[in-house]
Amino acid sequence: MPEMYRDLREFIDLVDGLGALRRIDNADPMLEIGGITEVAAGMPECPAILFDNIKGYPKGFRIFTNATVSAQRAALALGLDPHLRPLEALKAWMAKRQTLKTLDPVVVKDAPYLENSVTGDDVDLARLPAPHWHPDDGGPYIGSGSLVIMGDADDGWVNASIYRVQVHGRNQVTIQFDHQGRHGAMLSKKYWERGKPCPVVVVNGEDPALFIAGFEYLPAGQSEYAFAGAIKGSPIEVHPGPFTGLPIPAYAESVLEGELLPMPEFSLLEGPFGEFTGYYAADKRPAPVMNVKAIHHRTNPILLGSPPMKPPRFHFGLPFRGAGIWQNLIACGVTDVVGVWQHVSQLMTVIALEQRYPGHAKRAGLIAAANSYMGRLVVVVDEDVDPSNLADVMWAVTTRSEPSESVDIVRGGWSSGLDPRLTPEARDQGLTQNSKMIIDACRPIGWRHKYSKTSALSIAETRVIEDKWMASLRPTANP
Ligand SMILES: Cc1cc2nc3c(=O)[nH]c(=O)nc-3n(C[C@H](O)[C@H](O)[C@H](O)COP(=O)(O)O)c2cc1C
Ligand SMILES: [Mn+2]
């Protein structure tokens, strides 16, 4: 079992130990931190960055970005061996996720997040750095990878998910729900219908297991804390917030406590904010307002920043939603799947399988198309092609598919309002659907045994060569 971190600080130490951390001083939260983060995420080694001495802020008030953007660090965050190859890491996660046992959080007395507190009139969000991430964003966002905590007005359910949080002055922020099915939207509505504001906590600088849990589609009633505890193999330690009483991760770096005011009576114009597609999806729109009643932070707090960026850069270097599709295929009885991957920030899904019967590849492609959120492209390849390697996938597309025979288009599939290719009319009517192209890039099942033999090394042969000779090929081989 690889080392497990207690909090964000320990995770950063582990990243440093892997040689994947860069430290940057004197960057400007106005566009520079966002720009550096995006450029770094596009580099082959995709380093994580710890910003300190941020322009306009005292030393020690730090921002950490690209936390889990590489496959290696996504594996590390999941408690998997960071040296696994990406597809093996995703497979290990798929297997771990299938048997995950949730672990309820435990309440502890000590809470480092309370080391420094201000309340009432002393609350001033200018204390904490909040970057302006992309040029046309509507303002600074303290919450790009922050966790938003809310409880059910009647029972003990506590929800903890990632929603973006824009700063609007000394003591107000907005929280943005993509749609009314978000648990945060449902829980706040329940308070509002009773004429009450909804107690809410924004956790900045949570540990990466909480960040991953906050992105998972968990059923209503289930706590992301319990899922994060299962990832870590030990319960999340929480301590009730002095203002809200909501359980807050004890080792959170910084915390905003307050109330979310009822819509539509109260609102502020939110956004726009660059999305993970690499585009803006909407103009400024009304969003619910949180009155911040208290700010707590550890000494020298670290903000976990995770801005959406132009693809293929994505918050998570392992395509977690691809692991979900892999599980869907297994659940449907599709056998012989050797791998599933997603490229272009989830917008393209690839399945590799060993074809056993006519229709096998199409069956897998249709299931993946049905479950590919926003994606327009599904490719099915043979077992000798590594689905996580886009060059290999395109080699298969260009040498094994015949466009006049191998392409199907399914209309009216699952997309969202973030899709830049919705027509203006469809967008106005809320018709957020797109079509999906399925490319069968497998050798044709009927004559696959007569197909030209490949001259390429197989995946296994490649591994043997790598294990024996890779050291000689590295730049450090010839001193
Ligand atoms: C970095 C990041 C930012 C996100 N921003 C938002 C957001 O602003 N609004 C939103 O509704 N969902 C956002 N999401 C997606 C939700 O966190 C995700 O769908 C989650 O499963 C929702 O949880 P819930 O079912 O408890 O509402 C974001 C996810 C990530 C990883
Ligand atoms: Mn939830």
Side-chain angles (χ1 to χ4, degrees):
M1 177 80 183
E3 252 187 297
M4 189 39 88
Y5 47 85
R6 182 183 65 193
D7 53 14
L8 186 61
R9 292 172 188 212
E10 289 193 4
F11 181 75
I12 293 171
D13 288 343
L14 295 178
V15 170
D16 202 10
L18 290 170
L21 184 71
R22 306 287 176 269
R23 293 185 165 79
I24 293 191
D25 279 345
N26 306 318
D28 195 328
M30 177 53 113
L31 299 181
E32 247 181 8
I33 288 181
I36 294 166
T37 297
E38 181 150 338
V39 169
M43 293 163 64
E45 64 273 37
C46 179
I49 306 172
L50 188 61
F51 294 95
D52 199 353
N53 291 301
I54 293 166
K55 199 173 157 201
Y57 295 89
K59 179 177 171 51
F61 282 71
R62 294 163 292 170
I63 298 179
F64 181 56
T65 64
N66 289 344
T68 48
V69 171
S70 72
Q72 186 189 49
R73 296 194 296 280
L76 186 71
L78 289 169
L80 301 172
D81 178 356
H83 301 294
L84 285 175
R85 289 172 200 285
L87 188 60
E88 287 163 16
L90 192 71
K91 188 174 188 179
W93 169 235
M94 192 264 297
K96 177 170 169 173
R97 191 171 175 270
Q98 266 178 325
T99 56
L100 216 54
K101 295 251 184 333
T102 55
L103 263 182
D104 287 335
V106 293
V107 179
V108 294
K109 279 230 286 292
D110 283 336
Y113 80 80
L114 288 172
E115 278 167 5
N116 306 272
S117 283
V118 288
T119 59
D121 289 344
D122 293 331
V123 166
D124 186 0
L125 288 160
R127 288 170 66 88
L128 301 172
H132 194 116
W133 295 100
H134 323 91
D136 291 314
D137 285 1
Y141 279 77
I142 191 164
S144 59
S146 299
L147 207 56
V148 177
I149 320 296
M150 292 178 198
D152 188 282
D154 292 321
D155 63 34
W157 174 30
V158 173
N159 196 71
S161 297
I162 317 290
Y163 311 121
R164 73 196 194 206
V165 181
Q166 183 180 349
V167 177
H168 293 269
R170 277 182 74 88
N171 62 357
Q172 287 193 318
V173 298
T174 46
I175 296 175
Q176 195 266 170
F177 305 119
D178 286 351
H179 56 80
Q180 292 308 307
R182 290 292 193 238
H183 293 155
M186 290 160 51
L187 292 170
S188 47
K189 190 159 169 262
K190 198 160 171 185
Y191 274 96
W192 299 345
E193 281 171 355
R194 297 174 186 190
K196 289 185 194 154
C198 176
V200 59
V201 173
V202 175
V203 172
N204 308 302
E206 73 278 18
D207 81 39
L210 286 162
F211 182 48
I212 291 169
F215 176 64
E216 279 281 332
Y217 291 139
L218 302 182
Q222 192 176 321
S223 170
E224 286 79 7
Y225 284 160
F227 190 90
I231 290 176
K232 295 182 82 173
S234 63
I236 301 294
E237 297 179 292
V238 295
H239 183 89
F243 178 76
T244 56
L246 286 165
I248 297 173
Y251 292 91
E253 293 287 337
S254 77
V255 171
L256 315 180
E257 277 194 286
E259 296 173 331
L260 200 62
L261 305 181
M263 287 258 278
E265 295 92 301
F266 302 92
S267 72
L268 282 170
L269 290 178
E270 196 270 352
F273 190 56
E275 305 282 359
F276 81 90
T277 55
Y279 297 85
Y280 288 92
D283 294 330
K284 278 186 195 308
R285 282 187 299 192
V289 178
M290 173 186 179
N291 273 344
V292 180
K293 303 289 191 175
I295 299 178
H296 316 290
H297 66 84
R298 294 174 75 169
T299 300
N300 297 330
I302 307 169
L303 175 72
L304 174 64
S306 199
M309 296 179 272
K310 186 177 84 172
R313 304 160 187 83
F314 194 67
H315 309 289
F316 306 105
L318 292 174
F320 295 151
R321 304 277 198 241
I325 290 174
W326 200 336
Q327 282 181 276
N328 297 151
L329 290 165
I330 293 171
C332 288
V334 178
T335 57
D336 303 283
V337 175
V338 298
V340 175
W341 199 261
Q342 290 186 317
H343 297 279
V344 204
S345 306
Q346 315 178 348
L347 298 177
M348 169 179 178
T349 302
V350 182
I351 301 156
L353 53 71
E354 187 162 1
Q355 299 183 84
R356 209 171 266 280
Y357 51 87
H360 189 179
K362 191 61 57 69
R363 188 178 172 203
L366 285 164
I367 291 167
N371 294 292
S372 287
Y373 172 65
M374 287 179 66
R376 286 195 160 74
L377 187 52
V378 173
V379 182
V380 189
V381 295
D382 291 306
E383 76 287 350
D384 64 322
V385 177
D386 178 349
S388 70
N389 184 323
L390 192 55
D392 283 10
V393 172
M394 291 315 291
W395 171 67
V397 168
T398 50
T399 60
R400 298 186 193 179
S401 76
E402 182 58 68
S404 64
E405 299 168 15
S406 313
V407 173
D408 288 285
I409 294 172
V410 180
R411 293 177 166 75
W414 184 28
S415 189
S416 89
L418 302 190
D419 186 340
R421 185 56 178 81
L422 295 180
T423 64
E425 298 73 36
R427 184 180 298 283
D428 287 346
Q429 296 169 47
L431 291 175
T432 56
Q433 52 194 17
N434 66 8
S435 56
K436 321 268 180 195
M437 176 161 63
I438 305 172
I439 302 178
D440 180 352
C442 299
R443 297 183 201 90
I445 184 93
W447 50 284
R448 67 187 188 285
H449 301 301
K450 294 187 199 149
Y451 214 80
S452 305
K453 237 167 111 40
T454 115
S455 55
L457 291 177
S458 69
I459 294 173
E461 287 161 347
T462 305
R463 300 289 176 259
V464 171
I465 297 286
E466 282 175 353
D467 289 346
K468 184 162 177 196
W469 298 103
M470 199 45 137
S472 312
L473 293 172
R474 292 209 194 295
T476 47
N478 304 335

